Amino acid sequence: MDVVKRGGTAVIAERAVAYASGDSWNRLVKRHSRRGCDDLALLARSILLGKDQLHDVVGRAAGGLFALLGRPKVERVFAQELARRIPLPVDAQLSAAARGLQIAGIYVCVVGNRSLTDCACLRDVLIVDGQERLQQLLQGALEDWQWLPRRMSGDIAE
């Protein structure tokens, strides 16, 4: 968190405005600095879970297609697993949106002088992804947000 507290907040705000209007960013910060980032954390996690569910649907569809074609079970299972793991065209965008929401939530908590132990976005990243991924996310927040999914190995398949 030192990277955010030591002047990183200005860089994060600058990066956020590159993807949303300054007016939207300012309204988001003003609204959430009083109440925290719980709903941002929930939305971000929902996007990431939805992306996983989309992969499951694609995998099941591939397995179902192979079943309709009368292929052996081993081929169906392989097709299902392969299709589930292949990156989809929207993976990077969904991951970047979710991670951007998490960064925005952490930013809101820091600039709102909220206790970071109460920061839902920070807590969610730590619990689900771990401390190393949190550090990757924060470092990525200081760079171009478009590349956040690549910094967060596992958000998109390589």
Side-chain angles (χ1 to χ4, degrees):
M1 290 311 289
D2 286 340
V3 72
V4 175
K5 289 182 179 178
R6 286 189 325 244
T9 54
V11 176
I12 289 172
E14 179 183 305
R15 297 292 184 251
V17 173
Y19 292 98
S21 71
D23 185 49
S24 293
W25 173 251
N26 291 335
R27 286 192 340 241
L28 176 92
V29 171
K30 184 178 178 181
R31 178 175 187 227
H32 288 280
S33 62
R34 289 187 297 255
R35 33 183 272 194
C37 67
D38 292 14
D39 52 348
L40 295 174
L42 181 61
L43 180 57
R45 186 53 49 195
S46 295
I47 290 170
L48 293 170
L49 291 173
K51 186 174 70 89
D52 291 342
Q53 291 171 344
L54 182 59
H55 278 268
D56 288 342
V57 167
V58 170
R60 284 194 307 273
L65 177 61
F66 270 59
L68 285 174
L69 296 173
R71 303 307 307 163
K73 184 174 182 175
V74 67
E75 290 180 20
R76 292 191 312 257
V77 170
F78 179 76
Q80 185 171 338
E81 290 179 10
L82 179 66
R84 183 179 292 133
R85 288 181 176 90
I86 291 177
L88 299 173
V90 297
D91 280 351
Q93 292 87 351
L94 290 173
S95 293
R99 298 307 183 175
L101 287 168
Q102 290 171 326
I103 290 167
I106 294 168
Y107 174 93
V108 163
C109 291
V110 169
V111 298
N113 292 319
R114 299 180 61 82
S115 168
L116 293 181
T117 58
D118 294 332
C119 181
C121 289
L122 177 64
R123 207 172 39 246
D124 182 65
V125 175
L126 277 173
I127 291 170
V128 176
D129 300 315
Q131 185 172 353
E132 182 178 324
R133 301 250 313 200
L134 173 63
Q135 290 172 347
Q136 292 170 347
L137 179 64
L138 293 175
Q139 185 60 41
L142 301 176
E143 298 171 9
D144 191 337
W145 288 17
Q146 176 183 353
W147 307 114
L148 280 174
R150 289 192 180 153
R151 291 199 58 81
M152 303 288 294
S153 59
D155 273 3
I156 58 173
E158 296 180 22

